Amino acid sequence: MRKPIIVGNWKMNKTIAEATAFFAGVEGHLHNDADFGVGAPFTALKDAVLAAKGLFVAAQNVHFEDSGAFTGEVSLPMLQEIGVKWVILGHSERRQYFNETDAAINKKAKKCFVAGVTPIICCGETLEQFEAGLTESVVRTQVAACLDGFSVEDVKKLVIAYEPIWAIGTGRNATKEIAQATCAIVRDEVAVHFGKEAAEACRVQ
């Protein structure tokens, strides 16, 4: 049986002091019925990893090269050195504001698997796509492209996060029915490419 996973993303928020204060306040409320994690900004990652006890800390992005002339980027060896074992990839804001593509997300995720880091791959549609009834086609296309070339065993380990862009900072919320229906689409698309066993093992948030 899949263990539920709940991951919050801090985006461009929280200083180191604020991050460590958060862990001190939340640790006593966690339980073992689910895996809990947070995506912290790069500057707070090292201290967050040290402060976190009952939950895991994920980076909010990573580059697919180990080193090089990529100003402003962070590599997997850098993250691994401070104990980061999870990375959020393809967040809607990365797609929307920084032109991140499915192909780039795919390369990053493959690099994560080689390094033994678990990717949390995001997918989701814009408001225009949602209102046009394109949610299923958009999400299926994103999932298929981001997972292209993966092994069945890798797919079993990863997390896919459905994240409707139209519900971020707009005051509009996806109902539980919309979320459940779209997560079912995600899982079905995984099954199409990797089989039912992999689809059942993969965690969809």
Side-chain angles (χ1 to χ4, degrees), residues 94-106:
R94 298 294 312 172
R95 293 175 183 266
Q96 187 176 12
Y97 302 134
F98 303 102
N99 303 313
E100 194 155 67
T101 65
D102 292 331
I105 296 163
N106 178 266

Side-chain angles (χ1 to χ4, degrees), residues 56-80:
F56 65 83
V57 176
Q60 296 177 8
N61 190 27
V62 74
H63 198 275
F64 49 77
E65 296 288 354
D66 286 343
S67 62
F70 305 105
T71 300
E73 293 293 319
V74 172
S75 70
L76 276 163
M78 294 173 183
L79 296 179
Q80 290 179 296

Side-chain angles (χ1 to χ4, degrees), residues 88-92 95 105 120-124 142 146 160-161 163:
I88 297 171
L89 298 176
H91 189 281
S92 63
R95 293 175 183 266
I105 296 163
I120 301 171
I121 299 176
C122 302
C123 63
Q142 289 177 344
C146 290
I160 302 175
E163 182 191 42

Side-chain angles (χ1 to χ4, degrees), residues 1-182:
M1 182 177 178
R2 294 184 306 271
K3 189 175 186 180
I5 185 169
I6 301 171
V7 185
N9 177 20
W10 289 348
K11 307 188 180 187
M12 196 176 70
N13 293 291
K14 293 197 185 298
T15 62
I16 293 172
E18 290 169 339
T20 52
F22 168 85
F23 291 116
V26 78
E27 291 287 355
H29 300 284
L30 303 177
H31 54 75
N32 292 323
D33 294 338
D35 288 331
F36 297 92
V38 294
F42 287 130
T43 53
L45 277 174
K46 182 177 181 179
D47 292 87
V49 169
L50 292 173
K53 306 300 179 186
L55 45 66
F56 65 83
V57 176
Q60 296 177 8
N61 190 27
V62 74
H63 198 275
F64 49 77
E65 296 288 354
D66 286 343
S67 62
F70 305 105
T71 300
E73 293 293 319
V74 172
S75 70
L76 276 163
M78 294 173 183
L79 296 179
Q80 290 179 296
E81 186 178 33
I82 59 174
V84 172
K85 298 179 181 178
W86 298 73
V87 176
I88 297 171
L89 298 176
H91 189 281
S92 63
E93 291 152 5
R94 298 294 312 172
R95 293 175 183 266
Q96 187 176 12
Y97 302 134
F98 303 102
N99 303 313
E100 194 155 67
T101 65
D102 292 331
I105 296 163
N106 178 266
K107 290 176 71 173
K108 293 177 181 184
K110 286 177 177 175
K111 190 74 175 183
C112 285
F113 283 127
V114 172
V117 172
T118 302
I120 301 171
I121 299 176
C122 302
C123 63
E125 77 282 30
T126 65
L127 178 60
E128 293 76 17
Q129 292 166 335
F130 173 72
E131 291 181 336
L134 298 174
T135 296
E136 179 168 354
S137 62
V138 169
V139 169
R140 285 187 182 277
T141 297
Q142 289 177 344
V143 170
C146 290
L147 273 56
D148 182 52
F150 286 11
S151 72
V152 170
E153 291 308 310
D154 283 343
V155 171
K156 290 179 180 179
K157 301 172 190 173
L158 65 79
V159 177
I160 302 175
Y162 169 56
E163 182 191 42
I165 298 173
W166 53 269
I168 299 175
T170 62
R172 301 182 61 168
N173 297 308
T175 65
K176 64 179 181 180
E177 289 79 14
I178 291 173
Q180 289 282 32
T182 310

Side-chain angles (χ1 to χ4, degrees), residues 183-205:
C183 286
I185 291 169
V186 170
R187 198 174 300 284
D188 182 69
E189 186 65 18
V190 174
V192 168
H193 297 280
F194 300 96
K196 184 176 180 180
E197 183 179 346
E200 288 299 316
C202 172
R203 292 196 283 184
V204 181
Q205 179 179 342

